[in-house]
Amino acid sequence: MAQLTFKGNPIQIAGEPPKVGDKAKDFTLVKGDLSRVSLKDFKGERLVLNVFLSLDTGTCAASVRNFNKAAANLENTKVLCISKDLPFAQSRFCEAEGIENVIMLSDFATGQFGKDYGIAITNEPLEGLLSRTVIVIDEKGTVSYVQQVTENSHEPDYEDVLKVLK
């Protein structure tokens, strides 16, 4: 397991993220209108799961902005931005920022996504939040890329993610 930090302080997570070649685990997350969405709702599409701590951090907000720009040019690909932020906060952020090309989803209701995907932070002060991870799932539901950012105050390597999608 990678050594993960937030501003240099160690963080622990509940397990390990999926590995390339794994079948993506089903999930249920909450949309801005409080409806539920699951992996099967995206059957036949490529997915980029942009998982992050909270929109209330500059780095997380930047990741949503950057993936929003990239998503406009990706064919048969949906970018899902996932955090524990309340759907209301996610919607306000998108409205204020003009974010239209990504789908904001929340794991606030059960926290099961973070546990199932092995990325829920388990120690204080960030306990319960999700560690910064980017997962690409192909059209067949197989994990084709995983980037777990070791320093959670840093942005993911966008170019590396986009290479996999071209």
Side-chain angles (χ1 to χ4, degrees), residues 39 42-49 73-80 135-142 144 161-166:
L39 180 61
F42 301 101
K43 186 177 180 180
E45 296 179 282
R46 296 186 305 175
L47 298 176
V48 176
L49 309 184
N73 300 313
L74 299 173
E75 289 188 36
N76 195 36
T77 303
K78 298 272 195 272
V79 177
L80 310 181
I135 300 167
V136 176
I137 301 171
D138 70 16
E139 299 93 329
K140 296 177 183 171
T142 302
S144 60
V161 176
L162 295 174
K163 275 192 263 181
V164 172
L165 296 168
K166 292 185 179 185

Side-chain angles (χ1 to χ4, degrees), residues 47-60:
L47 298 176
V48 176
L49 309 184
N50 173 36
V51 185
F52 52 91
L53 296 161
S54 173
L55 287 169
D56 286 328
T57 71
T59 305
C60 298

Side-chain angles (χ1 to χ4, degrees), residues 39-165:
L39 180 61
K40 67 182 174 205
D41 293 318
F42 301 101
K43 186 177 180 180
E45 296 179 282
R46 296 186 305 175
L47 298 176
V48 176
L49 309 184
N50 173 36
V51 185
F52 52 91
L53 296 161
S54 173
L55 287 169
D56 286 328
T57 71
T59 305
C60 298
S63 75
V64 173
R65 288 183 201 105
N66 283 315
F67 276 116
N68 183 63
K69 287 178 192 167
N73 300 313
L74 299 173
E75 289 188 36
N76 195 36
T77 303
K78 298 272 195 272
V79 177
L80 310 181
C81 292
I82 303 167
S83 69
K84 295 284 287 254
D85 292 302
L86 291 175
F88 312 115
Q90 292 176 335
S91 294
R92 263 194 319 275
F93 173 82
C94 289
E95 190 173 309
E97 296 281 333
I99 304 291
E100 298 176 341
N101 300 318
V102 299
I103 300 169
M104 300 298 292
L105 298 172
S106 179
D107 189 30
F108 88 98
T110 65
Q112 198 60 47
F113 169 81
K115 294 172 191 167
D116 289 347
Y117 273 70
I119 55 176
I121 298 173
T122 60
N123 63 317
E124 295 181 3
L126 302 173
E127 184 175 4
L129 297 179
L130 305 174
S131 71
R132 187 176 317 285
T133 308
V134 180
I135 300 167
V136 176
I137 301 171
D138 70 16
E139 299 93 329
K140 296 177 183 171
T142 302
V143 175
S144 60
Y145 176 86
V146 178
Q147 179 187 148
Q148 188 172 40
V149 180
T150 55
E151 171 50 61
N152 275 249
S153 63
H154 295 167
E155 292 181 58
D157 182 341
Y158 303 107
E159 290 304 314
D160 203 38
V161 176
L162 295 174
K163 275 192 263 181
V164 172
L165 296 168

